[in-house]
Amino acid sequence: LALFEANLPPLGSPERPTMGSTEHVLGTCKPCAFLYTKGCMNGVSCSFCHLCDAGEKKRRQKEKKEQKREQHRWQEQQAALALAAAQGGL
């Protein structure tokens, strides 16, 4: 982590425009919801990423929703299998 921090571009540079943009290269940043709409008023102190594309926040929300849906389906399948196994064992 110290090596990562030592190699960071300066805050406010095009490569790291905000504090929240620091983790962009790791893919763990959170996109700024205001940058492409009203405009972000927090400047370099914004805790959200200004390097993500305009649709990134929505894409991530959609992906997260789909993952939850898949997890729910899997849990339902496991419950059905457990029920079938329990009934078959009677």
Side-chain angles (χ1 to χ4, degrees):
L1 184 62
L3 182 61
F4 172 72
E5 291 173 353
N7 293 320
L8 288 176
L11 187 59
S13 67
E15 297 84 19
R16 188 176 163 221
T18 63
M19 288 296 296
S21 300
T22 303
E23 295 183 19
H24 183 79
V25 296
L26 302 174
T28 56
C29 62
K30 294 182 180 181
C32 182
F34 299 105
L35 181 64
Y36 296 106
T37 56
K38 301 182 218 177
C40 181
M41 301 300 198
N42 294 326
V44 296
S45 63
C46 181
S47 58
F48 297 95
C49 185
H50 286 204
L51 294 174
C52 290
D53 293 332
E56 184 66 14
K57 183 170 176 61
K58 189 165 193 141
R59 185 192 69 75
R60 289 186 189 184
Q61 286 174 334
K62 187 176 180 180
E63 184 178 283
K64 186 176 180 180
K65 187 176 181 179
E66 182 58 33
Q67 286 175 348
K68 283 186 177 187
R69 191 175 293 132
E70 288 295 322
Q71 182 180 8
H72 183 70
R73 283 186 199 134
W74 183 83
Q75 288 172 340
E76 285 180 337
Q77 289 173 347
Q78 295 303 308
L81 289 172
L83 182 60
Q87 289 176 347
L90 293 176

